[in-house]
Amino acid sequence: EKRLALLDLSKQLQLPQTELSKLIQELSVEKSKLNDQFETFDSVMNADTDQELLVDKLIMSGTISMLAAESGTGKSSLFYQVMESVSTGSPLFDMFTTKQCNVHVIQVDESYVNARKKWQRMQLKPDPSKVSFCWEWYPSQLEELEKKIINKNIGICFMDSFGKLFGGTGEINTIECAYYMYELNNLAAKTGCAFVVAHHLKKDQSKNKKDGQPRVPSLADFYGSNYITAGIRDAWGLWQKGEDTDG
């Protein structure tokens, strides 16, 4: 209904979708009370914005992190492993301490059937009372996501993956697409929830370079506009060191 309303509004105003998108962004800024709330130095310094580590050396509350890798490298599996550890409060990989909290997973890169098979292979045992899932999602539901995070006191929200969730028609080389990262940033700051978003790399990271050394991803290898990585706190690259890596 929201999408149809936006299309109808675009026709009524005789505006192309890109211009309507810019207009919506400007209206959201006008509607925001952020500037009034934090106009002075003291208001910023006295704000209740204490952050804490949810996963040692990996995830901080109230921030956005992005994990980029090729398909089949293990992004989703890593998300599920962290989900298990955080929901139970147990150390990740028996190494990194975690703070127990509620976890929400927005998964559109694989079906619940495939996810179930993966969980069985991984022998996952999260706390069922602290995890929830969403298998179909669209950016127009950001407002509903905010309400869910607040009502269910969600500490970490995994989003898999950026291209399908925010890419729309598949064009993610524009600043409009990267705008969603700034929207998530505001949502993270407002709610204290940590967002971890899966993404893809441009290059074929599974092949070694000519000198035989493994390729190491950089920010330039993140697929799409550079504005995407500009709107996040941490950017992680995940890749296999060798062609025959097992597990």
Side-chain angles (χ1 to χ4, degrees):
E1 290 178 350
K2 289 181 180 178
R3 184 64 177 162
L4 287 171
L6 286 173
L7 290 172
D8 185 52
L9 182 62
S10 178
K11 292 178 182 178
Q12 289 183 35
L13 297 176
Q14 296 182 335
L15 284 174
Q17 286 292 301
T18 53
E19 291 301 317
L20 180 61
S21 176
K22 293 177 183 177
L23 178 61
I24 291 172
Q25 292 175 27
E26 291 181 15
L27 288 172
S28 68
V29 171
E30 279 189 25
K31 181 182 176 182
S32 174
K33 298 179 180 179
L34 198 63
N35 290 335
D36 295 332
Q37 189 176 359
F38 299 108
E39 183 179 17
T40 66
F41 179 83
D42 287 341
S43 64
V44 174
M45 295 303 293
N46 295 328
D48 183 15
T49 57
D50 289 340
Q51 293 179 296
E52 55 186 342
L53 277 170
L54 301 179
V55 180
D56 185 32
K57 295 179 174 58
L58 190 64
I59 302 174
M60 175 76 75
S61 65
T63 62
I64 302 178
S65 301
M66 181 170 278
L67 175 69
E70 288 189 335
S71 298
T73 306
K75 298 186 298 294
S76 300
S77 297
L78 178 57
F79 280 5
Y80 296 147
Q81 192 74 57
V82 178
M83 172 196 75
E84 178 190 56
S85 295
V86 172
S87 70
T88 58
S90 57
L92 176 65
F93 306 129
D94 294 325
M95 292 177 60
F96 305 112
T97 57
T98 65
K99 176 179 173 56
Q100 188 178 28
C101 65
N102 294 327
V103 183
H104 187 57
V105 181
I106 300 177
Q107 177 59 267
V108 298
D109 258 14
E110 64 181 9
S111 69
Y112 67 93
V113 176
N114 292 337
R116 179 183 175 181
K117 290 181 180 178
K118 188 174 293 183
W119 299 343
Q120 289 173 333
R121 289 198 301 269
M122 296 175 68
Q123 299 181 350
L124 286 182
K125 294 180 180 179
D127 184 340
S129 67
K130 291 189 173 295
V131 296
S132 57
F133 301 90
C134 176
W135 305 98
E136 295 177 326
W137 195 81
Y138 198 76
S140 61
Q141 295 175 298
L142 273 172
E143 188 176 341
E144 287 83 348
L145 178 60
E146 179 180 345
K147 293 178 181 177
K148 182 185 290 289
I149 289 171
I150 295 173
N151 293 336
K152 292 194 173 185
N153 193 26
I154 294 170
I156 298 181
C157 179
F158 291 104
M159 308 186 80
D160 193 6
S161 64
F162 178 83
K164 282 193 176 180
L165 288 168
F166 299 109
T169 59
E171 178 53 62
I172 62 174
N173 286 300
T174 63
I175 189 172
E176 284 79 15
C177 186
Y179 169 74
Y180 290 120
M181 288 298 95
Y182 294 94
E183 283 288 280
L184 279 182
N185 228 327
N186 291 331
L187 184 54
K190 188 188 300 185
T191 62
C193 179
F195 290 88
V196 187
V197 185
H199 195 30
H200 291 88
L201 297 170
K202 294 177 183 176
K203 298 179 180 179
D204 182 3
Q205 297 294 338
S206 65
K207 291 187 170 69
N208 289 342
K209 294 186 289 187
K210 291 182 178 179
D211 59 5
Q213 296 299 314
R215 294 185 185 275
V216 178
S218 66
L219 285 178
D221 295 322
F222 279 50
Y223 189 75
S225 168
N226 290 335
Y227 287 103
I228 294 173
T229 53
I232 61 180
R233 181 185 191 272
D234 292 316
W236 299 96
L238 180 69
W239 70 101
Q240 293 184 349
K241 292 182 67 175
E243 300 245 5
D244 302 319
T245 302
D246 182 22

